Amino acid sequence: MAGPHLQQPSFLLATLKADCVNKPFVQKCHDLETVIEELPAKELHGIFPWLVESIFGSLDGIIIGWNLLCLQGRTNPTEYSVALDFLDPSGPMMKLVYKLQAEEYRYDFPVSYLPGPVKASIQEQVLPECSLYHNKVQFPSSGGLGLNLALNPFEYYMFYFAISLIMQKNTSVTHHVSPSNSAYFILVDTYLKCFLPTEGSVLPPPYLNPGGAIPSPTPRSPAVPFTSYGMHHTSLLKRHIAHQPSVNADPASQEIWRSETLLQIFVEMWLHHYSLEMYQKMQSPHVKESFKPTEEHVLVVRLLVKHLHAFSNSLKPEPLSPSAHSHTASPLEDFKRVVIPRFVQQKLYIFLQHCFGHWPLDASFRAVLEMWLSYLQPWRYAPEKPLQSTEPLPHSVSEKWATFIQENLLMYTKLFVGFLNRALRTDLVSPKNAFMVFRVAKVFAQPNLAEMILKGEQLFLQPELVIPHRQHRLFMTPTFGGAFFASWPPTTADASLKVKTHVHSLEGQDFQYKQMFGTEVRNLVLKLAQLICQAQQTAKSISDHSAETMASQSFFSWFRFTPSEMNGSYTGNDLDEIGQDSIKKTDEYLEKALEYLCQIFKLNGAQLTQMMKNCGTAQDKNGKNQLPDCIESEDGLILTPLGRYQIINGLRRFEVQYQGDTELQPIRSYENATLVRLLFRLSSVLNARFADQMDVLCSREDFVGRLCRYHLTKPHLIQKIRCSPMVKDRTSQNWGPRISLRFLASYRTLTFLLMIYFIASWFYIGPVGCTFIILIGYFLYATIMTFFSERWKPHEH
């Protein structure tokens, strides 16, 4: 929304609103480009807030806008191309921004839509530490509603662009849409390359007025403290916003003000949704931070992280003499030195911590994982250099990254422990979960990385040094960034001080550090190794069971007339539907992950071998898993939390089988209900009529007796029923020889019979002949199965 000093909607605004509804997208953008080119800033000033809102959507979600998150070139190539051209850094929209920027217009942005910690801080009249908000807060006038930020056109545009990623998360983003191919993703990449270039300098704004310059917002004055506004009068605050110093007060800032503003807005809108512990005391205890990032959101943050590494690594080599630094380094080069430690590190760490602790335990965590791993590997985004022969290993992490690792120690160690805790609660039989464990283990197993992390831990655990009060702010200023210290060979004391400063600035002075290579974490790694071994055995069991099932399937199993179908037992998990290829991938990922974990933590090979043997002995003689973990009580077995976990993840299961009369089972989905009932009545009549005759036939010891015993009895089921304490009448004729016709009610059986009759009719064979052929085939099959059956023994009465 625009400030209260704006004029009422003009005729131009009404016309554009009507065109927005009635004209096609391409024509609408063309007309807007013409209006921006021809009209002066005074007339364009009134339509700017509406235009921004119509593109990125309204803050309340009523207006969706162009829905850039779903706009893709494959589905809407024309609109996709036109939108990217219109919003390009050199396109019509940015020309409008610079046109209004030259006139120093201001637009109001509601504080209520800022991230939770920032909103709570401003509402309690505490000035946020980020300079983006300084001299911009406006208290409402008499009768006004809420606090606002007075933003210049560039800030206003970028605020809406950044927050649209958050506000549009509930719109119709379908699963088949790839976020990396959306117009929004491409625009983020374009803006980053334009305003945070890895080569050259930031392109100047388009030339507008002869002899004029695009004004930049004034940098935060050092005199402005990071304290509460206190009891300052509202009018005094407004004077701070309205009467800013001259825009040319700091000529050096003219080069990078857009770069710094863009980065601050992206970081604040995308990462600053969770409070640091040191600031929680300043916020209301009633404020609830319920923000939940989406997968698209995390992918965009990963793009930001990757570009910032490339931007920071493009820093020119430092001059040999430190005195020459202040004379040769440009503001952009100085900005590259501090872009990560000053603007990104703290908020990204809290954001990742929240994701590790609250993200669902499913495969969508892969987006968070890859973003974290991208941050941990800045060397992947460094300019390519020829490999030197002095390198011990071609892919080892160079020692020049030791400073970065030490200044980001918690990113490596504490978040690794957080990942271990997640991995111990996931189903590693799933190929996607197994792959995530493999990815993390592979990254941390890079040669020399574990050694540098261990060295960083040793520096932190050195005896405490006397650190002057608020000394850690020295390392967070632009002049003394982390990269600046890397230009001189630091002593051990200096390196230890920097690591302690990093840890205490993120977690506070009372933080109890858990060593990544300590005993506690090592035990977690051993538990993960044991879980990996169990998952490998489970995948192997599933694979063997699938192979046995395929090998043992007979011709008539196509009718679904098999014991596994009729007793209702569960014999597998999701991998039964995934297939053998996925099981093979799971085994490969887990095997490599275990190998990498051994390299990182120097695990004992003999210990792992014994662990795998123990996992192997968890299988019984038939290759089935043991029962889930239970405790005995008066009411029988009760599952423990471990037992519930084992059942949910398919690691173990109860052998649940139907032990009653198979003819009385519930009607299955693959059976015809009417036929099941009719065939049951028919078989009941036949069994009652010929029970004695069938019993005599099954008692014979010749071929006829064996044939009848194979097809008319089920000795294994009879034995279970007779031995069961739940069955009172063990002598009932229901457990003797009988005819079962239920398999004829299967839809597959019916389909097969219809197919046979159709083929028979094609060869002019009548129904009687078809029936004769089927009976002959079944008789041959039954004869062969009789000779190989274990049911040849005489039936016990």
Side-chain angles (χ1 to χ4, degrees):
M1 55 180 290
H5 53 277
L6 293 181
Q7 299 178 358
Q8 296 296 322
S10 61
F11 176 75
L12 173 62
L13 180 59
T15 303
L16 292 176
K17 286 184 177 180
D19 292 344
C20 181
V21 176
N22 300 323
K23 290 186 177 180
F25 182 80
V26 176
Q27 183 63 37
K28 177 175 58 178
C29 292
H30 178 73
D31 293 346
L32 286 172
E33 182 177 0
T34 302
V35 168
I36 292 171
E37 290 287 346
E38 296 179 355
L39 295 184
K42 184 177 180 181
E43 296 188 35
L44 297 174
H45 166 58
I47 69 169
F48 181 66
W50 166 83
L51 181 56
V52 171
E53 195 174 74
S54 65
I55 294 174
F56 302 120
S58 59
L59 297 177
D60 55 14
I62 297 177
I63 301 175
I64 298 179
W66 291 3
N67 201 6
L68 298 173
L69 281 172
C70 295
L71 185 59
Q72 297 212 351
R74 290 187 300 174
T75 55
N76 299 293
T78 304
E79 295 183 3
Y80 175 83
S81 177
V82 171
L84 290 181
D85 291 341
F86 189 83
L87 301 176
D88 190 79
S90 59
M93 192 65 191
M94 291 305 296
K95 290 181 181 179
L96 171 61
V97 169
Y98 294 132
K99 217 174 196 180
L100 298 174
Q101 188 81 17
E103 302 297 332
E104 301 189 28
Y105 287 114
R106 293 292 183 268
Y107 301 92
D108 288 352
F109 187 91
V111 170
S112 59
Y113 289 100
L114 293 176
V118 179
K119 177 176 64 176
S121 178
I122 294 177
Q123 288 175 346
E124 295 187 0
Q125 299 188 1
V126 178
L127 183 64
E129 187 171 354
C130 179
S131 61
L132 181 66
Y133 306 105
H134 296 174
N135 297 331
K136 292 183 175 65
V137 179
Q138 282 191 326
F139 281 78
S141 57
S142 57
L145 297 176
L147 300 170
N148 295 299
L149 296 179
L151 305 176
N152 63 46
F154 184 82
E155 294 168 337
Y156 187 80
Y157 173 83
M158 286 301 172
F159 258 90
Y160 263 86
F161 174 75
I163 205 172
S164 65
L165 175 65
I166 312 301
M167 302 304 296
Q168 295 185 17
K169 65 182 181 181
N170 293 325
T171 58
S172 57
V173 180
T174 55
H175 293 288
H176 64 272
V177 175
S178 175
S180 59
N181 295 327
S182 66
Y184 188 89
F185 198 91
I186 300 301
L187 282 173
V188 171
D189 186 54
T190 303
Y191 289 156
L192 289 174
K193 290 178 179 178
C194 176
F195 298 109
L196 298 171
T198 56
E199 296 181 359
S201 59
V202 183
L203 294 177
Y207 181 76
L208 296 176
N209 297 321
I214 302 300
S216 62
T218 305
R220 179 179 59 83
S221 172
V224 179
F226 291 165
T227 57
S228 169
Y229 284 108
M231 299 303 293
H232 287 196
H233 197 271
T234 303
S235 61
L236 178 61
L237 294 176
K238 289 187 177 181
R239 281 200 300 272
H240 285 316
I241 298 174
H243 300 85
Q244 296 188 29
S246 171
V247 295
N248 296 321
D250 186 5
S253 67
Q254 186 77 20
E255 179 181 345
I256 65 166
W257 74 267
R258 289 175 298 160
S259 304
E260 185 173 351
T261 299
L262 175 89
L263 178 60
Q264 286 183 322
I265 291 174
F266 284 1
V267 171
E268 288 295 308
M269 293 296 105
W270 296 342
L271 296 179
H272 197 187
H273 292 275
Y274 310 105
S275 303
L276 292 170
E277 294 179 1
M278 63 180 66
Y279 297 127
Q280 289 178 348
K281 296 180 180 179
M282 296 188 298
Q283 299 176 3
S284 171
H286 303 290
V287 175
K288 295 182 180 180
E289 297 174 354
S290 58
F291 178 79
K292 297 179 181 179
T294 61
E295 192 172 350
E296 294 80 12
H297 177 190
V298 173
L299 290 174
V300 173
V301 173
R302 186 192 180 209
L303 176 65
L304 172 66
V305 168
K306 292 166 63 176
H307 184 84
L308 290 180
H309 274 319
F311 177 70
S312 180
N313 290 333
S314 65
L315 182 66
K316 296 178 181 178
E318 296 242 358
L320 296 178
S321 59
S323 59
H325 170 71
S326 58
H327 301 286
T328 58
S330 66
L332 186 63
E333 295 296 304
D334 287 335
F335 186 57
K336 292 179 181 180
R337 301 175 195 276
V338 299
V339 63
I340 291 180
R342 180 183 178 187
F343 294 98
V344 179
Q345 183 195 67
Q346 208 171 51
K347 295 181 176 66
L348 179 62
Y349 173 72
I350 300 298
F351 181 82
L352 282 171
Q353 261 203 325
H354 186 275
C355 290
F356 273 56
H358 296 83
W359 199 277
L361 292 172
D362 56 22
S364 64
F365 185 72
R366 170 80 185 278
V368 179
L369 188 78
E370 294 297 339
M371 186 251 288
W372 172 50
L373 296 180
S374 294
Y375 184 84
L376 298 185
Q377 302 177 87
W379 46 87
R380 289 185 56 192
Y381 312 101
E384 296 183 359
K385 296 180 181 179
L387 296 175
Q388 301 177 0
S389 57
T390 57
E391 288 284 342
L393 290 174
H395 299 290
S396 63
V397 181
S398 174
E399 285 291 339
K400 72 176 184 179
W401 299 107
T403 302
F404 177 87
I405 294 171
Q406 294 167 11
E407 295 178 351
N408 292 272
L409 184 63
L410 291 178
M411 288 284 196
Y412 290 89
T413 60
K414 187 174 181 181
L415 292 182
F416 179 81
V417 176
F419 175 77
L420 283 180
N421 291 324
R422 284 186 62 92
L424 290 172
R425 292 180 290 152
T426 55
D427 178 17
L428 297 185
V429 183
S430 168
K432 294 180 180 179
N433 292 335
F435 180 76
M436 286 191 283
V437 176
F438 161 75
R439 284 283 295 129
V440 174
K442 181 180 179 182
V443 169
F444 278 84
Q446 294 178 85
N448 203 34
L449 178 58
E451 288 76 6
M452 286 192 283
I453 296 175
L454 178 60
K455 183 179 179 180
E457 288 194 322
Q458 293 171 347
L459 290 172
F460 175 76
L461 296 173
Q462 282 186 355
E464 188 70 29
L465 300 175
V466 179
I467 303 178
H469 181 58
R470 297 176 67 86
Q471 180 75 16
H472 66 275
R473 290 198 179 274
L474 179 67
F475 299 100
M476 301 300 290
T477 58
T479 308
F480 300 98
F484 183 78
F485 282 98
S487 59
W488 292 300
T491 63
T492 304
D494 292 337
S496 177
L497 179 61
K498 286 193 294 181
V499 176
K500 294 176 185 292
T501 301
H502 154 71
V503 173
H504 293 155
S505 65
L506 293 184
E507 292 288 350
Q509 295 289 336
D510 300 329
F511 174 62
Q512 298 295 325
Y513 182 75
K514 184 182 297 184
Q515 299 181 51
M516 177 175 169
F517 295 96
T519 305
E520 186 175 353
V521 176
R522 185 180 180 87
N523 290 335
L524 289 178
V525 174
L526 288 175
K527 287 183 180 180
L528 179 60
Q530 185 176 6
L531 190 62
I532 289 175
C533 294
Q534 292 178 357
Q536 287 179 303
Q537 292 293 336
T538 302
K540 184 178 182 300
S541 299
I542 295 172
S543 178
D544 294 343
H545 172 76
S546 301
E548 291 174 2
T549 303
M550 292 296 297
S552 63
Q553 282 184 343
S554 62
F555 174 74
F556 279 87
S557 66
W558 188 78
F559 303 150
R560 286 186 178 264
F561 189 64
T562 59
S564 61
E565 293 287 349
M566 297 305 294
N567 61 28
S569 62
Y570 175 80
T571 58
N573 64 0
D574 294 340
L575 281 179
D576 294 335
E577 299 179 1
I578 295 176
Q580 293 292 324
D581 292 339
S582 295
I583 297 176
K584 184 178 179 181
K585 288 182 180 179
T586 297
D587 188 65
E588 292 176 355
Y589 293 147
L590 294 178
E591 184 177 357
K592 294 297 294 184
L594 194 58
E595 178 183 338
Y596 289 137
L597 289 174
C598 292
Q599 295 177 12
I600 299 168
F601 293 93
K602 307 295 189 293
L603 299 181
N604 189 347
Q607 186 178 9
L608 285 178
T609 303
Q610 182 62 35
M611 186 185 301
M612 296 186 71
K613 288 182 179 179
N614 294 337
C615 293
T617 57
Q619 310 291 326
D620 61 21
K621 295 181 180 179
N622 296 325
K624 304 295 184 182
N625 287 337
Q626 291 180 336
L627 292 180
D629 190 66
C630 303
I631 57 175
E632 293 187 3
S633 66
E634 297 179 356
D635 300 327
L637 296 178
I638 298 178
L639 280 173
T640 64
L642 175 60
R644 286 192 290 270
Y645 168 81
Q646 291 168 340
I647 290 179
I648 292 173
N649 293 283
L651 300 178
R652 295 183 182 181
R653 63 178 182 270
F654 290 105
E655 293 294 340
V656 180
Q657 293 184 354
Y658 184 81
Q659 295 186 355
D661 190 352
T662 56
E663 292 294 308
L664 299 179
Q665 288 191 88
I667 299 174
R668 306 302 180 91
S669 60
Y670 53 81
E671 293 177 324
N672 184 282
T674 303
L675 280 178
V676 169
R677 296 186 178 97
L678 290 177
L679 292 172
F680 174 72
R681 292 180 181 178
L682 177 59
S683 60
S684 299
V685 172
L686 293 175
N687 290 329
R689 176 67 178 83
F690 301 104
D692 296 336
Q693 290 85 339
M694 287 189 292
D695 194 51
V696 171
L697 289 174
C698 290
S699 301
R700 295 174 57 172
E701 297 185 4
D702 55 3
F703 173 77
V704 176
R706 283 190 288 174
L707 182 65
C708 292
R709 282 194 297 274
Y710 180 81
H711 294 284
L712 299 178
T713 65
K714 296 182 179 180
H716 297 291
L717 181 59
I718 293 173
Q719 184 66 22
K720 287 183 178 180
I721 293 173
R722 289 181 172 178
C723 296
S724 174
M726 302 300 294
V727 179
K728 298 181 180 179
D729 184 12
R730 298 185 177 89
T731 61
S732 173
Q733 287 292 334
N734 291 333
W735 313 124
R738 57 181 175 166
I739 298 173
S740 177
L741 302 176
R742 182 165 176 170
F743 74 97
L744 294 174
S746 170
Y747 286 117
R748 288 193 175 183
T749 304
L750 297 175
T751 304
F752 175 75
L753 294 176
L754 289 175
M755 182 178 64
I756 293 295
Y757 279 105
F758 176 77
I759 296 175
S761 63
W762 183 267
F763 291 99
Y764 301 100
I765 301 176
V768 178
C770 292
T771 305
F772 181 76
I773 293 174
I774 294 174
L775 291 176
I776 291 297
Y778 183 77
F779 179 78
L780 293 175
Y781 162 77
T783 302
I784 295 173
M785 294 302 297
T786 299
F787 280 105
F788 296 97
S789 173
E790 295 181 357
R791 305 182 190 178
W792 58 271
K793 295 181 181 180
H795 174 61
E796 296 180 1
H797 294 280

